[in-house]
Amino acid sequence: MAERHRLLESEHAKDKEKLRVVEQKTEARARISDELKSKFEEASEANDVLQDELKSVNQIHRVLLEERSKLVAKLEKVEADLEESLKDMEAAEARTTILVEYERWKSRRATLEQAQKGLGDLQARINEAKAMEEEAKKALDAESEDSERTVSENSGSNRTG
């Protein structure tokens, strides 16, 4: 019995040792579990923060896409307006060129008409000048004859006197 008692005490000591080892392991695992739980909570909080940031980023991304779409639409409208303005400007430039050419043509036409009129009047002017020359000659001749008569008459009256 004593032997059995020693065996039981030895087993009891072994069991106590096992129990102590199990308790140490349990405490270690509990600490590890608490640390893991704490880390999990931190990771969970970080995940929540990241989820919120991701939502914000997605919202910003949507807003940016909407703004980009609006800007693209505005740019297309401005480009279309610019293209239309360019066409209008080119048309106005073409009209101006046509008007300038028309005014030049009118000026040339007026000059040619004046020249043609001048050429038509040229013969009439020549004839008019000839007629005036003839009249001037006749008047000169008539005046010369009157002067000669006056001179003759004066010289004849001088003789009688």
Side-chain angles (χ1 to χ4, degrees):
M1 254 246 201
E3 177 116 3
R4 182 148 167 91
H5 187 17
R6 261 189 273 139
L7 256 156
L8 283 174
E9 275 188 26
S10 168
E11 275 184 38
H12 182 63
K14 284 181 188 177
D15 285 340
K16 264 186 162 182
E17 184 60 29
K18 281 182 185 176
L19 182 61
R20 189 184 62 76
V21 168
V22 168
E23 283 177 353
Q24 285 177 348
K25 285 182 180 180
T26 303
E27 286 175 11
R29 287 185 181 154
R31 271 194 318 268
I32 292 172
S33 177
D34 287 345
E35 287 174 11
L36 288 175
K37 187 176 180 183
S38 173
K39 287 181 181 180
F40 176 75
E41 288 173 357
E42 288 175 11
S44 180
E45 288 174 10
N47 185 39
D48 291 344
V49 169
L50 289 174
Q51 288 293 329
D52 289 344
E53 286 179 8
L54 181 62
K55 286 178 187 176
S56 296
V57 166
N58 285 334
Q59 287 175 342
I60 291 170
H61 185 67
R62 269 196 310 276
V63 168
L64 288 175
L65 286 176
E66 289 172 6
E67 289 300 315
R68 184 180 182 272
S69 295
K70 289 177 185 177
L71 288 174
V72 166
K74 283 181 182 180
L75 180 62
E76 288 172 354
K77 185 181 182 314
V78 166
E79 285 175 346
D81 290 348
L82 185 61
E83 197 171 306
E84 186 176 328
S85 295
L86 180 62
K87 286 179 183 176
D88 290 347
M89 187 178 72
E90 287 172 349
E93 186 178 333
R95 281 193 298 277
T96 302
T97 302
I98 289 170
L99 286 173
V100 166
E101 287 299 316
Y102 176 70
E103 289 300 320
R104 285 181 185 161
W105 176 82
K106 279 179 25 180
S107 175
R108 288 183 198 133
R109 181 176 173 200
T111 302
L112 289 173
E113 285 176 351
Q114 283 182 334
Q116 185 179 17
K117 184 178 176 184
L119 289 176
D121 292 346
L122 188 60
Q123 189 59 44
R125 287 183 180 177
I126 290 172
N127 290 338
E128 187 180 309
K130 283 182 181 179
M132 286 173 61
E133 188 181 351
E134 288 296 321
E135 284 180 28
K137 267 186 179 180
K138 286 181 185 176
L140 192 58
D141 287 345
E143 197 176 297
S144 293
E145 284 180 17
D146 284 342
S147 294
E148 285 179 17
R149 272 192 216 145
T150 307
V151 170
S152 314
E153 285 176 9
N154 281 342
S155 34
S157 60
N158 280 345
R159 286 186 216 173
T160 45

